[in-house]
Amino acid sequence: MFFLVGLGLFDNKDISLKGIETLKNVDKVYAEFFTSLLFGSSFESIEDLIGKKITVLDRTQVEEESVFLDEAEDADVALITGGDPLIATTHSDFLVECAKRGIDFQVIHGSSIISSAPAISGLQAYTFGKVTTIPFPDLEYNYFPKSPYIAIEENLKMNMHTLVLLDIQAHKDKYMTINEGLENLMTIKDNLDYEGMIQEDTLAVGIARVGSADNIVKAGYIRDLIDFDFGGPLHCIVIPSDLHIVEAEYLVEVAGAPREILDDL
Amino acid sequence: MFFLVGLGLFDNKDISLKGIETLKNVDKVYAEFFTSLLFGSSFESIEDLIGKKITVLDRTQVEEESVFLDEAEDADVALITGGDPLIATTHSDFLVECAKRGIDFQVIHGSSIISSAPAISGLQAYTFGKVTTIPFPDLEYNYFPKSPYIAIEENLKMNMHTLVLLDIQAHKDKYMTINEGLENLMTIKDNLDYEGMIQEDTLAVGIARVGSADNIVKAGYIRDLIDFDFGGPLHCIVIPSDLHIVEAEYLVEVAGAPREILDDL
């Protein structure tokens, strides 16, 4: 049997009891850490918790060889991943493969940036539009893909908030910061041939280390957040659309937004 | 200090290790179960896990009296809730109140239907639009609010999938089923003064009991799913937009969608 186990948001204590029990009971545990990572814990701390060694795979071993699925035909095998499984396409392919080969499978969910970042931003889950990601620019060609800027604008036009994820290149230990993400958006804005909807005076929420005790949720105008020190990864951004009074009050009281945003309501 | 602790998706084993440790360490634990509920576990099983009694509050006690916040001024107090905290507005109000009164707080996240249902549907998280909820109709006045139907249509027009949550009236032990939800959408469609985009031959995914070992993910045309037995609560629905080949293959192989959907790609 094949178990796809999510480790949750931040450290080795974000996994569920169900996840821990599963990892203790299976014959073998594999990990892939290129799609998502835990920041708050060493790898070994997870091994200590479950009392067995974890075999770490690189991208080729996961995507092309899938040795863990061969083993799952005769044994109980788990693959662990950061966050909630199946957010990355790779994982849904494994379940397709299991279904085709008649291997039973179970998914053990975990806390995910997809629900937790909107939640901790204080904005209503129902008023978020499409999620977008800011990729690292190609500096050699001075190329900044416009797609995230356009995605936020499309949400704003329909009065929807946007969760903006920031690029991760885990193999290079590179994690885009909120500051870099906002600078990116401003560079894209400067190169538009029209007046973009996201400007230096647009309200944004920077969210760092969701799931950790020292997480930061800081709301402010882009021109102010762009130099704010949010500390270590992972970072993400929320760009709010029109605010309900309850949302605005949260941003002011909990996330330190300028009190004047309450005047505009 | 005030701790807002999410219990996760389904039963008493979906809480994180961090959540359990917090509940063991605090002086008092409160629960409110009117915004969200655990289905797979008795209430007592959580008390057994944390080794202390939980005080259950009704809506008035939670929203108006907030006795737990008074106590949090001098002691460590936790409020537990199903899923991930802060998805309901009530919770963000507590954090605003904490901020105003100078009470430290921490949020312990949990797995949430908002990320896990899209994940287990096999559709890409990046291609979901706004979430919507089908409310129970007012049968006395034969009133079926059109808003969820319109929300799905708006997403479809922009080629985005929709997560459709189903109404809960926990105090009456009423949980809308996938079948009722789909019947609702078809009733709304029949009463439109135009040709609606969601019809009996529209593809849908019914998802029951996410987070449990016997969860069901079943894709098919609405006319077929409308009579399918999904078992006990909680249920939700995903209405896919145009499918990527990887998504379609998942729906066919893992979720039992008609193989002919692959022909249309």
Side-chain angles (χ1 to χ4, degrees):
Chain A
M1 185 156 174
F2 177 63
F3 296 87
L4 199 49
V5 180
L7 295 178
L9 286 164
F10 187 73
D11 63 29
N12 62 345
K13 300 288 180 74
D14 281 319
I15 188 172
S16 66
L17 297 185
K18 204 174 273 180
I20 284 289
E21 279 184 10
T22 301
L23 297 182
K24 283 182 178 168
N25 289 337
V26 295
D27 301 303
K28 194 142 185 193
V29 179
Y30 286 95
E32 55 93 347
F33 280 126
F34 55 86
T35 53
S36 184
L37 206 72
L38 288 185
F39 279 91
S41 292
S42 70
F43 196 69
E44 291 71 26
S45 65
I46 304 170
E47 294 181 327
D48 290 345
L49 272 174
I50 61 172
K52 57 170 66 94
K53 283 282 169 196
I54 298 170
T55 308
V56 183
L57 304 171
D58 65 26
R59 186 182 281 260
T60 311
Q61 289 174 302
V62 170
E63 293 186 353
E64 289 167 25
E65 300 166 19
S66 303
V67 57
F68 45 89
L69 289 186
D70 297 334
E71 291 179 9
E73 294 194 347
D74 309 304
D76 286 338
V77 177
L79 181 73
I80 57 175
T81 178
D84 196 21
L86 292 166
I87 301 292
T89 331
T90 329
H91 302 152
S92 58
D93 284 345
F94 299 150
L95 300 196
V96 168
E97 193 61 24
C98 282
K100 284 182 175 172
R101 290 162 67 168
I103 301 168
D104 283 339
F105 60 84
Q106 191 184 344
V107 177
I108 314 286
H109 293 279
S111 47
S112 166
I113 194 83
I114 298 286
S115 64
S116 300
I120 202 80
S121 76
L123 306 182
Q124 288 310 294
Y126 291 84
T127 47
F128 275 78
K130 200 171 181 169
V131 178
T132 190
T133 297
I134 302 181
F136 280 112
D138 186 337
L139 293 175
E140 192 181 345
Y141 294 91
N142 200 30
Y143 175 62
F144 293 75
K146 282 182 198 161
S147 53
Y149 194 97
I150 307 289
I152 300 167
E153 282 195 326
E154 284 179 358
N155 283 338
L156 286 174
K157 282 174 195 163
M158 290 176 299
N159 202 13
M160 296 198 280
H161 311 314
T162 309
L163 170 62
V164 184
L165 303 178
L166 300 170
D167 203 359
I168 293 175
Q169 294 183 347
H171 60 291
K172 294 184 188 169
D173 208 24
K174 273 181 70 181
Y175 310 96
M176 189 183 288
T177 64
I178 292 161
N179 318 86
E180 289 171 315
L182 293 174
E183 277 164 18
N184 241 287
L185 290 177
M186 292 302 96
T187 303
I188 296 165
K189 183 259 304 174
D190 290 341
N191 292 319
L192 293 173
D193 52 11
Y194 62 95
E195 176 85 356
M197 294 176 75
I198 309 134
Q199 300 279 341
E200 278 81 0
D201 61 355
T202 298
L203 193 69
V205 189
I207 302 171
R209 298 174 304 286
V210 187
S212 81
D214 76 336
N215 78 97
I216 290 179
V217 182
K218 171 69 185 156
Y221 302 117
I222 287 179
R223 63 169 180 270
D224 298 322
L225 293 191
I226 218 160
D227 295 318
F228 187 88
D229 182 5
F230 286 91
L234 287 181
H235 290 187
C236 66
I237 299 169
V238 168
I239 304 288
S241 184
D242 291 348
L243 294 172
H244 185 273
I245 176 72
V246 171
E247 296 175 319
E249 205 183 10
Y250 183 101
L251 291 186
V252 169
E253 299 292 347
V254 178
R259 196 161 285 275
E260 68 204 41
I261 69 167
L262 292 168
D263 303 338
D264 304 337
L265 296 177
Chain B
M1 186 158 175
F2 177 61
F3 296 87
L4 198 49
V5 180
L7 294 179
L9 286 164
F10 187 74
D11 62 30
N12 62 344
K13 301 288 181 71
D14 280 319
I15 188 172
S16 67
L17 297 184
K18 203 174 272 178
I20 283 289
E21 279 183 10
T22 301
L23 297 183
K24 282 181 179 168
N25 289 337
V26 296
D27 301 303
K28 194 143 184 192
V29 179
Y30 286 95
E32 54 91 348
F33 280 125
F34 55 86
T35 53
S36 185
L37 205 72
L38 287 184
F39 278 91
S41 291
S42 69
F43 196 68
E44 292 70 26
S45 66
I46 304 170
E47 294 181 327
D48 290 344
L49 270 174
I50 62 173
K52 58 170 65 94
K53 282 281 168 196
I54 299 171
T55 308
V56 183
L57 304 170
D58 64 26
R59 186 183 282 258
T60 312
Q61 290 175 304
V62 171
E63 293 186 355
E64 291 167 23
E65 300 166 18
S66 303
V67 57
F68 46 90
L69 289 186
D70 297 334
E71 292 180 9
E73 294 194 349
D74 309 305
D76 286 338
V77 176
L79 180 72
I80 56 175
T81 179
D84 197 20
L86 293 167
I87 301 291
T89 331
T90 331
H91 302 151
S92 58
D93 284 344
F94 300 149
L95 300 195
V96 169
E97 195 60 25
C98 282
K100 283 181 175 173
R101 292 160 68 168
I103 301 167
D104 282 339
F105 60 84
Q106 192 184 342
V107 178
I108 314 285
H109 292 279
S111 47
S112 166
I113 194 84
I114 298 286
S115 64
S116 300
I120 202 80
S121 75
L123 306 181
Q124 287 310 294
Y126 291 85
T127 47
F128 276 79
K130 201 171 182 171
V131 177
T132 191
T133 298
I134 303 181
F136 280 111
D138 185 338
L139 292 176
E140 193 181 344
Y141 294 92
N142 201 28
Y143 175 63
F144 292 75
K146 282 182 199 160
S147 54
Y149 194 98
I150 307 290
I152 300 167
E153 282 194 326
E154 283 178 359
N155 283 337
L156 286 174
K157 283 173 193 160
M158 291 175 300
N159 201 13
M160 296 197 280
H161 311 313
T162 309
L163 170 61
V164 183
L165 302 179
L166 301 170
D167 203 359
I168 293 176
Q169 293 183 347
H171 59 293
K172 295 185 188 171
D173 208 26
K174 274 180 70 179
Y175 310 96
M176 190 183 288
T177 63
I178 292 161
N179 318 86
E180 289 171 317
L182 294 174
E183 278 165 17
N184 242 287
L185 290 177
M186 292 302 95
T187 303
I188 296 164
K189 184 257 306 173
D190 289 340
N191 293 319
L192 293 173
D193 52 9
Y194 62 94
E195 175 87 356
M197 293 176 75
I198 309 134
Q199 300 280 341
E200 278 80 0
D201 61 354
T202 298
L203 192 69
V205 188
I207 302 171
R209 298 175 304 287
V210 186
S212 80
D214 75 336
N215 80 97
I216 290 179
V217 181
K218 170 69 186 157
Y221 300 117
I222 288 180
R223 64 168 180 269
D224 298 322
L225 293 190
I226 218 160
D227 295 317
F228 187 88
D229 181 5
F230 285 93
L234 285 181
H235 290 187
C236 67
I237 299 169
V238 168
I239 305 288
S241 184
D242 291 347
L243 295 171
H244 185 274
I245 175 72
V246 172
E247 297 176 318
E249 204 182 11
Y250 183 100
L251 291 186
V252 168
E253 299 292 346
V254 178
R259 195 160 285 274
E260 67 204 40
I261 69 168
L262 293 167
D263 302 338
D264 303 338
L265 298 176

